[in-house]
Amino acid sequence: KGVDRHFIDEKTFDKVKVKESSWYLDLDEGVITIILSKCFRGQTWEGVLCGHTKTVDGSSAASGRQGIQESIDPVTKQEMQSSMMLERFQEENPGFDFRDAKFNGEVPDPRTFMGGVGYNH
């Protein structure tokens, strides 16, 4: 059933690992949860799906007005990058505890900082 159409027919922000991605349906809540595994560790996505736009006045781009790409705000992006950097530091230095570590100033891009993320697993 539904083979001739897709539930989600949008491009993702970047490549995903299909074999490591999944979904499940919570019948009690009536919610579908989709889990996408990124191909590139440490990458901060501006959004999950491309093509979802809002106009400056908040109306949908389907109304024919010029839309702007909706993306995460800079503060949220910095928080995400900080979390990924701390995960990276913990993975690269298993004897240290980074749970309470904080960054001063702008957080570097975890994918490219000091040679990028390793693929140890």
Side-chain angles (χ1 to χ4, degrees):
K1 214 171 186 186
V3 175
D4 61 333
R5 62 190 182 280
H6 297 87
F7 180 71
I8 298 175
D9 193 15
E10 300 285 341
K11 290 184 178 184
T12 54
F13 184 80
D14 208 336
K15 294 179 181 181
V16 297
K17 296 178 183 177
V18 176
K19 291 183 179 183
E20 294 181 21
S21 299
S22 63
W23 65 274
Y24 63 91
L25 173 62
D26 183 335
L27 294 174
D28 295 333
E29 298 290 325
V31 174
I32 296 174
T33 301
I34 301 170
I35 302 161
L36 300 175
S37 180
K38 299 176 190 175
C39 277
F40 306 110
R41 290 179 60 203
Q43 183 180 29
T44 307
W45 285 11
E46 294 293 324
V48 178
L49 302 174
C50 298
H52 289 263
T53 57
K54 283 186 176 178
T55 59
V56 176
D57 65 3
S59 63
S60 121
S63 65
R65 297 186 191 158
Q66 182 64 29
I68 57 171
Q69 184 69 35
E70 185 177 20
S71 64
I72 58 174
D73 63 275
V75 173
T76 302
K77 185 173 183 175
Q78 285 290 300
E79 290 170 355
M80 291 168 57
Q81 287 182 327
S82 175
S83 175
M84 285 189 280
M85 284 296 293
L86 293 175
E87 286 176 22
R88 177 181 162 187
F89 290 160
Q90 188 65 54
E91 182 180 300
E92 292 174 354
N93 304 282
F96 291 93
D97 183 2
F98 293 97
R99 285 181 290 199
D100 296 323
K102 303 281 185 232
F103 287 95
N104 293 335
E106 189 172 335
V107 180
D109 184 344
R111 186 162 177 225
T112 58
F113 179 71
M114 293 184 70
V117 180
Y119 290 86
N120 299 331
H121 53 359

